[in-house]
């Protein structure tokens, strides 16, 4: 009763003379009063407020706003249970915002008045009881509900004030959140108008606030899910079904216009992402025609430039992939379109388009998730999908200067595109039927299709994404192991296929672990053969390392030693028939390179057989025999004990410490003293005693002469046969094998002069002819053998090398200096002429050090090297020239000094007691000056200073 006495005076005064001060006083009184009292006095307080709001004579903008604020406070502290009060206030607020009577002259209210009226409407809805809400949604109140909805829609779409429009959208959202089962049916009649106005709001001008746009998207999403929820149309009648058909057709047009908006703010895109995901969850049946469009847009957002949008879209797709909602048909329709256009877009080579289409593919595959295999069954979608992937992954042989890998992508050039392509294959492996997928890709390889290498590449990616499936992995390993035995090193396609298959076998072995053990008998020998082939060596070794890791073995050598039974019997037979089984060479080469197994017996038998075969007709099928020689020479070099080679000249530039100098002087004095003593006592030595001493020395020399080991004699025979074959060798592969064998043989025999030097004498003439030939590739390989001879027997070949070879090398370097000047293209650097030029230039210091040619020859060498100090030469050649001149300066400092000082800028050297000397060139723009001055400062710092 006390609270009534507080409100009575102010309410009576408001009815008599309403004013702003009294309304403010009433608002403060409402705030100070407890909620229970407000509930009891609700009608008493609202009556004067209604009179003020409804009577235009009593109100102005300020009093109207104050009255609305008082109504909001009452609604905030109490519940409206009388529909008549709710209805009256609702109508008055709507009339303030927008009059529905076209005959009356419109009174334009200010935006502030409209805003407070909309906020009051929101307060009314929130405070209304469930009975009042049900009455509002009933048929009798349909006109009033329509008035409310369309007034709010017009405000949201047409007003300029941001807060006013947002408030109208908040009120619409509140209306859509009413907890009643009949809400969708009650609001369905207004849905066409809702779509029209929401589209206008969402696709507003670019200046429109993104917060307003996002809020409109959220409101639209809520209304769609209420009106078109799947549960509403489960048992729909004919009229409802017809209405649904018309509505979803029109709504699809609305969606199309919404999704085409290219000026969306990233926060608006987040709202669109939520709308699509929620509609897919709640309206997948009613809006089935629009699902492909919505799904495509959601997937496109996974490739958006904004990271937040990407993450949100991917999160929504992951959630949807695990939901029970059935949208497979829509995803399958989109997927079919994507894989159809995938080859065309990828082959055009536009990176942005490739990223977009692959991102869409990845999104749709992820969206299907575990249901992917169900979709791949329909309409030959699997064949179309994998055909598109194989075309996209088209591989081509790698160019020399691009990469160490034997292949590169023809169309996928960017790393991020390749990563996205791999992610698509991972998803297929994770969610698809691995057995069916592997069968399809294996069939491509079996049929020798033009996409066989791409099939193996895609298979590798698919298996990486899949869980361990021993039966499928076993099938793939057996199939690929069989295919490896038929691949040729002469085909670039086979080389790529072999590398990829070896990679797959190694990866699967690691994933299978100990389950891989039964497959060793199938996989070990083919992989080992490829590891011994130079074209597959690197990939084969990696595969063997993974196989060893799978079986928990520390090294590949241990793997080969413990499993020798898998390849040893067959290898022994094939080695006896090496011409019929030339690949046994690769297997033996791999064993020699990767294991510590003793192979002397095998190798010696092979060599004897090969020597006999070449003696019969060395030009017929010579390559397998020469490869046998190469392997034996390599094994002999590997087993060669450390010992002295042929005499190496003392390095003139060798650094000697002070202690060593003192020791040498002391030894020199001791030797002089000993010699003098010998001369004094020489006449006293008895003739018989001298004869005994000589006999004793001869016997000791005979004892020291030890016959060379058997392998040295075999290597000598090998070198002899190779020398005979060399002059008539035409085939490049045979020539390369011959040169490698000769090089290895020289290294093995260098410790046995009596055997070595006669063979070098026989080798010299054919080797010299190869050095002076016209094929740069053969000249380069012959030069490598020549350098090996220079290191191993410099004294023996010095005279003929200085007379017959060095002048030709110097002339070649001089000619090539002009040819390479100013040329740095990839084609030139990859040419055999450039490679020979580089080898010859780097060999000059070795030639000078070991052969110690006459000064005139050294001067010619230095002058030829100095041509490469030009700053117009390739930088690699400039560096080689500087390194060689530094090395030669240790032995011929004066010649290097003279050559360098003829290239530096002109200057005069003066020293006390000596006449001045002018050196250098008058050409200020000399191309040799910078490198020459750099070397001069480095080699002759005292003179330069």
């Amino acid at each position: 009763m006390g609270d009534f006495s507080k409100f009575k005076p102010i309410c009576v005064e408001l009815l008599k003379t309403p004013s702003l001060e009294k309304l403010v006083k009433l608002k403060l009184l409402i705030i100070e009063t407890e909620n229970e009292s407000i509930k009891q006095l609700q009608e008493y307080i609202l009556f004067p407020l209604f009179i003020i709001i409804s009577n235009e004579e009593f109100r102005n903008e300020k009093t109207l706003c104050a009255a609305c604020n008082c109504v909001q406070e009452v609604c905030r502290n109490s519940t409206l249970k009388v529909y008549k009060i709710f209805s009256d206030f609702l109508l008055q607020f709507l009339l303030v915002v927008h009059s529905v009577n076209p005959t009356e002259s419109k009174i334009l209210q200010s935006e502030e008045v409209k805003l407070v009226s909309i906020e009051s409407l929101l307060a009314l809805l929130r405070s209304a009881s469930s009975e009042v809400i049900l009455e509002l949604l009933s048929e009798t109140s349909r006109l009033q509900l329509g008035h409310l909805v369309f007034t709010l829609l017009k405000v949201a779409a047409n007003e300029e004030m941001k807060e006013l429009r947002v408030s109208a959208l908040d009120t619409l959202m509140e209306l859509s959140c009413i907890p009643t089962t009949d809400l969708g049916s009650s609001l369905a009649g207004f849905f066409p108008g809702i779509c029209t106005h929401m589209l206008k709001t969402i696709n507003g001008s670019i200046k429109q606030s993104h917060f307003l746009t996002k809020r409109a998207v959220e409101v639209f999403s809520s209304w769609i899910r209420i009106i078109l929820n799947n549960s509403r149309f489960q048992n729909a009648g004919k009229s409802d079904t017809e209405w649904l058909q018309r509505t979803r057709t029109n709504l699809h047009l609305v969606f199309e216009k919404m999704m085409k908006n290219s000026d969306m703010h990233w926060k608006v895109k987040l709202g669109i992402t939520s709308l699509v995901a929620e509609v897919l969850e709640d309206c997948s049946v009613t809006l089935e025609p629009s699902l492909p469009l919505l799904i495509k847009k959601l997937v496109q957002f996974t490739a958006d430039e904004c990271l937040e949008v990407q993450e949100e879209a991917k999160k929504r797709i992951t959630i949807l992939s695990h939901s029970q909602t059935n949208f497979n048909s829509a995803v399958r329709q989109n997927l079919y379109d994507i894989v159809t256009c995938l080859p065309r877009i990828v082959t055009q080579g536009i990176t942005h388009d490739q990223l977009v289409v692959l991102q869409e593919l990845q999104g749709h595959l992820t969206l299907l998730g575990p249901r992917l295999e169900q979709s791949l069954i329909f309409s030959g979608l699997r064949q179309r999908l994998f055909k598109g992937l194989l075309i996209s992954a088209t591989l081509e042989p790698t160019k020399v200067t691009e990469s160490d890998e034997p292949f590169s992508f023809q169309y996928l050039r960017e790393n991020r595109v390749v990563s996205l392509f791999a992610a698509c294959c991972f998803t297929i492996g994770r969610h698809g039927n691995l057995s069916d997928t592997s069968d399809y890709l294996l069939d491509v390889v079996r049929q020798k299709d033009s996409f066989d290498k791409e099939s193996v590449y895609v298979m590798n990616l698919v298996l990486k994404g899949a869980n361990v499936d021993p039966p499928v992995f076993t099938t793939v390993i057996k199939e690929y192991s069989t295919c490896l035995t038929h691949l040729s090193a002469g085909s670039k396609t086979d080389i790529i296929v072999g590398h990829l298959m070896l990679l797959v076998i190694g990866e699967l072995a690691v994933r299978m672990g100990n389950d891989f053990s039964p497959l060793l008998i199938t996989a070990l020998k083919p992989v080992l053969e490829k590891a011994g082939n130079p074209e597959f060596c690197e990939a084969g070794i990696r595969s063997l390392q993974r196989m060893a890791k799978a079986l928990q073995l520390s090294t590949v050598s241990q793997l080969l030693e413990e499993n020798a039974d898998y390849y040893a019997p067959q290898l022994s037979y094939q080695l006896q028939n090496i011409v019929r089984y030339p690949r046994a060479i690769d297997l033996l080469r791999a064993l020699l390179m990767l294991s510590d197994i003793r192979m002397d017996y095998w190798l010696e038998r092979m060599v004897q057989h090969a020597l006999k075969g070449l003696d019969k007709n060395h030009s017929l099928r010579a390559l397998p025999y020469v490869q046998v020689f190469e392997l034996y020479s390599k094994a002999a070099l590997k087993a060669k004990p450390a010992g002295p080679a042929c005499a190496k000249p003392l390095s003139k530039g060798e650094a000697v410490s002070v202690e060593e100098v003192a020791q040498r002087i002391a030894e020199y004095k001791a030797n002089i003293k000993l010699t003098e003593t010998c001369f004094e006592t020489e006449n006293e030595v008895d003739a018989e005693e001298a004869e005994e001493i000589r006999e004793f020395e001869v016997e000791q020399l005979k004892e020291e002469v030890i016959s060379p080991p058997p392998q040295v004699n075999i290597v000598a025979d090998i070198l002899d046969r190779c020398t005979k074959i060399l002059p008539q060798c035409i085939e490049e592969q045979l020539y390369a094998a011959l040169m490698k064998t000769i090089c290895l043989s020289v290294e093995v025999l260098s410790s046995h002069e009596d055997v070595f030097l006669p063979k070098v004498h026989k080798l010299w003439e054919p080797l010299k002819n190869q050095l002076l030939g016209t094929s740069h590739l053969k000249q380069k390989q012959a030069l490598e053998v020549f350098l090996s001879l220079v290191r191993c027997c410099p004294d023996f070949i010095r005279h003929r090398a200085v007379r017959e070879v060095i002048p030709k090398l110097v002339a070649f370097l001089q000619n090539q200096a002009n040819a390479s000047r100013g040329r740095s293209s990839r084609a030139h650097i990859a040419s055999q002429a450039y490679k020979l030029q580089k080898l010859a230039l780097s060999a000059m210091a070795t030639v000078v050090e070991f052969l110690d040619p006459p000064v005139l020859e050294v001067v010619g060498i230095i002058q030829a090297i100095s041509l490469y100090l030009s700053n117009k030469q390739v930088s690699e050649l400039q560096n080689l020239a500087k390194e060689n001149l530094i090395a030669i300066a240790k032995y011929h400092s004066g010649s290097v000094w003279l050559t360098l000082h003829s290239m530096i800028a002109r200057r005069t050297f003066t020293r006390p007691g000596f006449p001045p000397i002018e050196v250098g060139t008058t050409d200020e723009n000399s191309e040799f000056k910078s490198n020459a001055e750099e070397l001069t400062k480095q080699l002759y710092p005292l003179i330069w200073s």
Side-chain angles (χ1 to χ4, degrees), residues 13 130 175 280 431 434 461 467 478 536 546 929 933:
E13 291 179 6
S130 57
L175 186 60
L280 288 175
H431 298 303
L434 191 59
L461 297 178
N467 296 323
K478 288 183 177 179
F536 304 94
R546 289 181 171 88
K929 186 175 67 173
E933 289 182 354

Side-chain angles (χ1 to χ4, degrees), residues 288 291-292 295-296 326-340 361 363-365 367-368 371-382 384-385:
E288 185 177 1
L291 293 187
I295 291 172
K296 184 176 182 180
N326 183 13
F327 43 77
N328 292 1
S329 177
V331 178
R332 189 163 56 247
Q333 178 181 337
N334 282 356
L335 193 59
Y336 193 90
D337 296 337
I338 292 171
V339 298
T340 300
L361 177 60
H364 283 80
L365 294 173
L367 194 56
L368 284 172
R371 296 165 291 191
L372 174 61
E373 189 57 35
Q374 300 174 10
S375 298
L376 292 180
I377 297 174
F378 294 93
S379 305
L381 185 57
R382 185 192 306 278
R384 191 173 287 265
L385 170 62

